Amino acid sequence: MMARRCEITLDADGCKGCGYCETVCPMNVYERGAFINERGYTPYRAVRPELCVGCMQCYYVCPDFCLDVTPDEVSR
Amino acid sequence: MDSLSTRYLRAKKIPSTACGGCGLGQVHKKILMAMDELALGVGDVVWGSGIGCAGRQTFNTWKGDNFAGTHGRVYAIATGLRLALPEDKKIIITSGDGDAFGIGLSHLLHCARRNVDITVIVADNLGYQSTGGQYGYTTPLGFVSDSSPYGAIEQNWIQNGIDILDVLRAGGATFLARHSSLEGYDAVKSVKAAIKNVGFSLIHFIYPCVSHFGPVSLKTRDIDRIFHWFKGIFEAGGVFGENFKSGIFHDAGNSRPEFASSLRSQRAEVEAGHLR
Ligand code: SF4
Ligand code: SF4
Ligand code: SF4
């Protein structure tokens, strides 16, 4: 079966830990991480990327240019 | 950095010094997405910025030519640039509500009247937030700020039947739209249309300020609550009233002569000896 799958890249150095990605994601992909980055923020992580449906809401809402969501058609 | 910002923005400026959770970057991103879809490169755009959070956080982030205006004067500088630059060079300005709708309003209106081919993105954080959170020209009536501890009583530009976009339309602007930074592709489409209009275009983007407007005016630092309050601005029960809608407000694209092209045509006539 063909299903939509997305690759999520989150640049933890640039993330300011705001949490908008977690707020908007309908699939509960994101969670706050456990370490503090060099700028003093706690970056988020895409902990369940396999659930992503490619709606792109996280991409539109991330204010700090640190998310890429690349749709990819693959077999599941 | 994501792939979009890597292409267009300077690495040493990203992430910006904006507070974590500030919505300004959401506006910034939509401009880049529009330019990407229009296949504009770094050399095709000159980017100007105003003063305040919106100016500071977008200043000199653009890899191509860019400049900062003094407070409220960036529109006048852009008019001069429009006259000097080739007509296919795009001029995009990012400024704030204080810069555009207050301090620089006269300059802005004259740009609209002349129909100068520039695109102004007004990134509105609902007050003077970079100076600590004083009320401004779009702060909702009754809202507490640093300078309105008992609630703002001064009529703003976007409530009770008064709308700054009406003023700009009457002044001659040829493309006007309004969005929230939290919107998706509709906002990108408006930015594209604004850039394509050969004339004066302005988009009013409202975005969340999480460091002053959130805690002082909304009484919360919770990002979920701030997000949902700003999401609700254009929905039923929104703070600015039922008629406050997002989308294209006025599209008279390419309906009036553009200032610089009128001047170029006249110069050609003079040089050809047709006018004495
Ligand atoms: S694209 Fe949609 S589903 Fe996928 S991570 Fe982003 S918000 Fe979640
Ligand atoms: S929205 Fe962007 S900056 Fe904010 S936590 Fe998510 S990845 Fe980080
Ligand atoms: S003060 Fe408010 S508007 Fe300015 S950078 Fe911080 S969050 Fe953004």
Side-chain angles (χ1 to χ4, degrees):
Chain A
M1 176 185 140
M2 293 298 280
R4 195 156 194 213
R5 226 187 74 114
C6 291
E7 193 182 326
I8 300 171
T9 316
L10 196 159
D11 167 19
D13 294 336
C15 173
K16 290 185 188 159
C18 64
Y20 284 126
C21 48
E22 186 187 29
T23 295
V24 298
C25 179
M27 302 309 289
N28 205 17
V29 165
Y30 296 98
E31 262 179 27
R32 186 182 284 277
F35 78 99
I36 296 177
N37 68 16
E38 272 190 21
R39 293 184 172 86
Y41 296 105
T42 311
Y44 272 64
R45 290 191 309 142
V47 286
R48 286 171 285 274
E50 70 284 358
L51 298 181
C52 173
V53 291
C55 70
M56 302 303 282
Q57 292 189 71
C58 57
Y59 180 76
Y60 277 97
V61 86
C62 173
D64 284 295
F65 298 106
C66 54
L67 270 183
D68 264 316
V69 181
T70 318
D72 193 14
E73 295 287 339
V74 294
S75 310
R76 263 191 194 164
Chain B
M1 285 171 78
D2 63 10
S3 47
L4 187 70
S5 59
T6 302
R7 194 154 2 117
Y8 286 125
L9 303 182
R10 291 170 203 257
K12 71 175 180 0
K13 290 287 204 170
I14 302 297
S16 71
T17 53
C19 315
C22 175
L24 185 61
Q26 297 157 343
V27 180
H28 205 174
K29 177 182 272 177
K30 285 171 181 78
I31 306 169
L32 300 190
M33 290 177 83
M35 293 199 297
D36 182 41
E37 290 209 0
L38 293 172
L40 292 171
V42 164
D44 297 324
V45 175
V46 178
W47 194 308
S49 48
I51 303 292
C53 290
R56 175 180 155 83
Q57 309 304 346
T58 54
F59 167 64
N60 200 23
T61 53
W62 180 238
K63 273 186 183 169
D65 292 338
N66 63 88
F67 65 100
T70 43
H71 213 346
R73 276 64 186 155
V74 68
Y75 322 103
I77 297 167
T79 303
L81 270 178
R82 182 72 283 162
L83 294 174
L85 290 174
E87 55 196 303
D88 57 350
K89 188 80 91 172
K90 305 290 184 193
I91 301 176
I92 296 177
I93 309 289
T94 38
S95 59
D97 43 309
D99 196 283
F101 299 157
I103 292 164
L105 180 58
S106 180
H107 288 292
L108 190 75
L109 269 175
H110 287 298
C111 273
R113 171 181 64 80
R114 289 174 169 142
N115 197 29
V116 182
D117 180 19
I118 60 174
T119 298
V120 179
I121 306 289
V122 180
D124 179 356
N125 52 15
L126 303 181
Y128 282 105
Q129 311 301 353
S130 67
T131 48
Q134 296 79 26
Y135 74 87
Y137 314 96
T138 53
T139 309
L141 277 165
F143 273 51
V144 167
S145 72
D146 196 41
S147 56
S148 57
Y150 304 106
I153 51 160
E154 189 176 313
Q155 174 63 50
N156 57 40
W157 269 131
I158 51 174
Q159 223 172 334
N160 288 341
I162 293 177
D163 196 331
I164 186 66
L165 296 189
D166 280 327
V167 176
L168 288 160
R169 172 166 53 189
T174 42
F175 183 89
L176 296 165
R178 171 172 283 141
H179 289 281
S180 142
S181 67
L182 302 174
E183 285 176 54
Y185 191 64
D186 282 351
V188 178
K189 277 200 296 197
S190 287
V191 180
K192 280 170 69 180
I195 294 173
K196 275 173 33 190
N197 175 35
V198 181
F200 180 84
S201 306
L202 180 141
I203 304 190
H204 179 203
F205 262 108
I206 295 178
Y207 73 92
C209 165
V210 298
S211 294
H212 294 296
F213 192 82
V216 177
S217 305
L218 299 178
K219 309 265 185 264
T220 183
R221 286 186 181 275
D222 183 81
I223 206 84
D224 266 338
R225 287 177 60 196
I226 294 174
F227 174 89
H228 285 107
W229 188 87
F230 276 89
K231 260 292 207 212
I233 278 184
F234 294 118
E235 291 164 8
V239 69
F240 296 114
E242 298 306 306
N243 295 327
F244 199 70
K245 300 270 183 265
S246 78
I248 293 174
F249 184 90
H250 174 60
D251 185 358
N254 308 322
S255 65
R256 295 178 54 222
E258 192 278 323
F259 180 54
S261 48
S262 299
L263 194 69
R264 266 194 300 274
S265 311
Q266 191 179 60
R267 191 185 65 192
E269 294 267 302
V270 171
E271 283 173 355
H274 299 147
L275 295 177
R276 288 175 192 281

